[in-house]
Amino acid sequence: LVWLLVLSLAWLGPALGDEDKDEEVVEEEEKEKKEDEVLSDEIKEEDNVLVLHEHNFARALSEHQLLLVEFYAPWCGHCQQLAPAYAQAATELRNESSPARLGKVDATAQTALATEFGITSYPTLKLFRDGNRTHPLAYTGRMDSRGIVRWMQRRAGPSATLLQDTDTAAAFVNSQDVVAVGFFKDLKGEAAQAFFEVAAEMVDMTFGVAEAAELFQAYGLSADTVCLFKKFDEKQTNFPVDPARGLDTAELTRLLRVHSLQLVMEFTNEVQPVPSPVTVPQGPWLPCPHPSPPPQTSNQIFGAKIPHHMLLFLNKSSSEQLSLQEGFRAAAGGFRGEVRWPHGRDMEGGCGTLQPQCLLFPAQVLFVVVDVTGHGADVLPFFGMTPADAPTLRLVKMENNRKYQMEQDDFSDLAIRTFIQAVLDGKVKPHLLSAEPPEDWDTWPVKVLVGKTFEQVAFDETKNVFVKFYAPWCPHCQAMAAAWEELAERYKDREDIVIAEMDSTANELENITINGYPTLHYFPAGPGRKMVEFKSTRDVETFSKFLDNGGTLPVEPP
């Protein structure tokens, strides 16, 4: 505003001088008023969310037993998307007179708070309990209003319902499709406390706890045990507490996630009987953005963190193809990830009668049926498939997104188990997607690579090749497209430099895994098949400095 005042004085002359002085006084008073507001420890609210800053943060912690704080940036798209759900959750918690409240901090303006709590990305949510400022708890729930409310409710009240007699326990077990009950002879012991921790985290599962001797007897238990009760498959799965090792929270969480799933999941948008223990926005073989809302089971399928997914693609309108599910289901039991004896019996037989010395193994393979005429049609492009390819089988290795194709048309239990074991033993090569190279792929400044042509171009020992790995739907890729074209135009006459791009949704490489878009890799000339990932600012000038300096950015003078 200073330059406006200067111009006004110059144009209007001394006749208005007194008026301008009055305006300066008003402006200065407003500035001082705003500074006083910031310096005050008064806590204001927006949509029932506490607006926090450096000077009222301590007061907020002292006044609220449970305070979940969102550290956000005003320009952040994810923060803007979360805002309505966050406000709704804040309103729900306040309306139910919960001791839990929600607050927010503009981390770009309140840099001291952002530094104190190590905020490096947005939004970041942290829970402060009983005024403790030094050890906030990271938020681990879903980023929607229901998820936030349930996560906070578990921390505001008991995380598990106390079951005192057989009638109460029976009613509790039958109240949901899946419930977990911890039987402990000492509810104040370490094992019980670990169980309560798990219950507080797994907000989409219902937990109960029991210590009465009659309940141990009613359910045939003699020692501390966590029982998962289900209205499907094996109905009840027991996880005895190892007296020597105790109850490991991470291990129990994983077991409950795995065993709360049906033996064979169906990829569908119909509501399934098992609530999801954790929410994952998308999975490696679930496309993003979703052509339609994510199916209800996707959160369960991807949230269970099972390292391999075995998929049966079929047309559910065909009775002949539906019959293939029998062999598929029969094969699934051998890879459920049950317990084993330390000497002898394999994963098919399991451990038999549960004993403390049984070793727990992670579930290896999750079996999923995908209807190619239903919601499964959305994932077919990821596998380079069409509905006409059904029935067929694919195994996906989740850690690197590698896909393995079962070549034979034998859908028997034995054939499926043999194929899976061969993949697990490293005896099967991944099935890699590749589009056909365009006829004019090398006539434009930006060279178009596909899976089939990548090796010969990227590892040409006479060229320095800079490749953009992208997804057509990715907004970040779209935003930098013009800069990439300009870069290619700038170096089109350089014989030793190639600017290229590859659609990673349609092309896959055996030794390079792309985990995000866009990913930029530089392949320098010479032997050795070297690769350098570019991780700096994505603009033409930075790209040019990187190329001109041989694949590294020059050190800027201080």
Side-chain angles (χ1 to χ4, degrees):
L1 293 177
V2 175
W3 67 272
L4 287 175
L5 291 172
V6 172
L7 287 176
S8 298
L9 289 171
W11 287 342
L12 300 178
L16 297 180
D18 292 339
E19 183 177 339
D20 287 336
K21 289 179 181 179
D22 291 340
E23 290 178 357
E24 289 178 2
V25 170
V26 171
E27 181 181 320
E28 188 65 28
E29 288 176 349
E30 289 180 351
K31 182 178 179 181
E32 290 176 357
K33 183 179 178 182
K34 288 181 179 179
E35 288 179 351
D36 289 341
E37 288 178 355
V38 172
L39 291 172
S40 169
D41 69 350
E42 179 185 359
I43 302 175
K44 295 188 176 182
E45 298 186 17
E46 292 179 1
D47 298 325
N48 294 309
V49 177
L50 308 180
V51 181
L52 305 177
H53 50 72
E54 184 179 351
H55 301 285
N56 66 8
F57 198 84
R59 176 180 173 182
L61 293 185
S62 67
E63 292 182 357
H64 301 288
Q65 178 186 356
L66 288 170
L67 180 61
L68 181 66
V69 179
E70 176 201 4
F71 295 86
Y72 73 96
W75 45 259
C76 167
H78 298 294
C79 302
Q80 295 165 7
Q81 186 177 3
L82 175 64
Y86 197 70
Q88 182 180 340
T91 301
E92 289 184 31
L93 289 169
R94 185 162 192 180
N95 289 344
E96 64 184 34
S97 300
S98 169
R101 292 299 305 273
L102 304 190
K104 62 180 181 180
V105 171
D106 179 352
T108 64
Q110 303 300 319
T111 54
L113 290 177
T115 300
E116 179 181 355
F117 299 113
I119 306 304
T120 58
S121 61
Y122 309 110
T124 294
L125 279 63
K126 291 182 178 289
L127 176 67
F128 297 83
R129 184 189 290 270
D130 298 325
N132 188 323
R133 185 167 182 150
T134 57
H135 294 88
L137 180 68
Y139 177 79
T140 56
R142 296 197 318 239
M143 295 296 243
D144 57 41
S145 60
R146 181 170 177 268
I148 294 170
V149 168
R150 295 191 69 170
W151 196 86
M152 293 297 285
Q153 286 172 335
R154 283 288 172 93
R155 281 150 183 80
S159 59
T161 302
L162 178 62
L163 309 177
Q164 297 180 324
D165 53 53
T166 54
D167 290 339
T168 304
F172 181 83
V173 167
N174 291 318
S175 66
Q176 304 286 336
D177 292 301
V178 178
V179 298
V181 179
F183 294 83
F184 301 100
K185 295 185 177 181
D186 179 8
L187 292 184
K188 295 182 179 179
E190 291 184 4
Q193 294 306 308
F195 179 79
F196 287 130
E197 287 182 31
V198 172
E201 284 296 323
M202 299 182 68
V203 298
D204 286 336
M205 184 176 288
T206 303
F207 287 79
V209 67
E211 65 174 343
E214 67 173 299
L215 292 179
F216 275 79
Q217 183 177 358
Y219 289 93
L221 305 172
S222 59
D224 288 359
T225 305
V226 176
C227 297
L228 187 68
F229 296 96
K230 300 175 283 187
K231 293 183 179 179
F232 52 87
D233 293 339
E234 65 271 28
K235 309 299 183 184
Q236 178 179 336
T237 306
N238 294 346
F239 305 109
V241 177
D242 186 330
R245 297 173 58 240
L247 191 62
D248 182 86
T249 56
E251 181 179 58
L252 178 61
T253 299
R254 181 188 58 74
L255 289 170
L256 292 177
R257 285 177 179 171
V258 169
H259 289 273
S260 66
L261 300 177
Q262 297 181 37
L263 183 61
V264 176
M265 298 291 293
E266 182 178 350
F267 190 73
T268 174
N269 54 4
E270 297 174 1
V271 177
Q272 295 294 296
V274 192
S276 166
V278 354
T279 293
V280 176
Q282 69 188 69
W285 52 270
L286 180 62
C288 179
H290 308 301
S292 56
Q296 189 71 25
T297 57
S298 68
N299 289 336
Q300 300 166 250
I301 290 170
F302 298 115
K305 305 298 172 71
I306 295 177
H308 303 87
H309 290 182
M310 185 65 183
L311 312 179
L312 170 60
F313 293 88
L314 53 76
N315 186 333
K316 292 189 70 174
S317 62
S318 166
S319 58
E320 181 180 355
Q321 293 190 26
L322 279 175
S323 66
L324 300 176
Q325 294 181 97
E326 295 179 12
F328 193 64
R329 182 177 183 82
F335 298 92
R336 178 74 171 195
E338 302 289 0
V339 291
R340 305 190 215 178
W341 291 106
H343 309 290
R345 298 187 61 183
D346 61 15
M347 61 187 165
E348 289 185 52
C351 192
T353 303
L354 294 171
Q355 300 292 336
Q357 67 265 33
C358 291
L359 299 179
L360 291 170
F361 284 76
Q364 291 184 301
V365 184
L366 176 63
F367 283 62
V368 183
V369 172
V370 182
D371 180 12
V372 297
T373 59
H375 192 91
D378 293 334
V379 304
L380 293 180
F382 176 79
F383 294 90
M385 292 167 47
T386 67
D389 292 315
T392 187
L393 293 158
R394 297 288 189 278
L395 188 143
V396 183
K397 188 175 290 188
M398 303 301 285
E399 66 174 355
N400 56 16
N401 216 16
R402 293 289 178 261
K403 297 180 283 290
Y404 300 82
Q405 180 175 349
M406 187 169 168
E407 300 293 348
Q408 55 185 324
D409 294 328
D410 185 352
F411 294 85
S412 68
D413 169 16
L414 177 60
I416 293 172
R417 285 189 289 115
T418 301
F419 168 71
I420 294 174
Q421 197 59 55
V423 173
L424 297 181
D425 293 340
K427 297 177 181 178
V428 181
K429 286 192 174 184
H431 178 74
L432 302 174
L433 294 178
S434 178
E436 292 299 321
E439 292 184 3
D440 59 349
W441 71 272
D442 61 346
T443 61
W444 299 95
V446 176
K447 313 306 178 186
V448 180
L449 305 184
V450 297
K452 296 177 180 179
T453 61
F454 180 84
E455 287 273 328
Q456 68 185 61
V457 176
F459 294 109
D460 183 339
E461 295 185 3
T462 67
K463 310 287 187 185
N464 297 291
V465 184
F466 202 11
V467 183
K468 175 183 71 174
F469 298 88
Y470 73 98
W473 45 258
C474 169
H476 301 293
C477 302
Q478 295 164 3
M480 69 163 284
W484 201 248
E485 291 285 347
E486 184 179 341
L487 179 71
E489 188 68 31
R490 180 177 295 189
Y491 289 89
K492 67 179 182 180
D493 296 326
R494 287 280 299 269
E495 291 292 332
D496 61 328
I497 291 180
V498 175
I499 308 300
E501 65 182 11
M502 190 175 85
D503 177 358
S504 290
T505 66
N507 300 278
E508 296 171 324
L509 304 170
E510 185 169 359
N511 298 313
I512 299 175
T513 301
I514 304 301
N515 295 314
Y517 305 111
T519 292
L520 307 177
H521 283 312
Y522 175 78
F523 302 86
R529 297 173 64 88
K530 297 177 183 178
M531 180 177 74
V532 179
E533 184 173 0
F534 177 90
K535 293 184 176 181
S536 188
T537 307
R538 297 170 186 156
D539 60 44
V540 177
E541 295 309 316
T542 308
F543 291 151
S544 294
K545 291 178 182 178
F546 179 79
L547 288 172
D548 294 341
N549 202 48
T552 60
L553 285 171
V555 178
E556 299 291 339

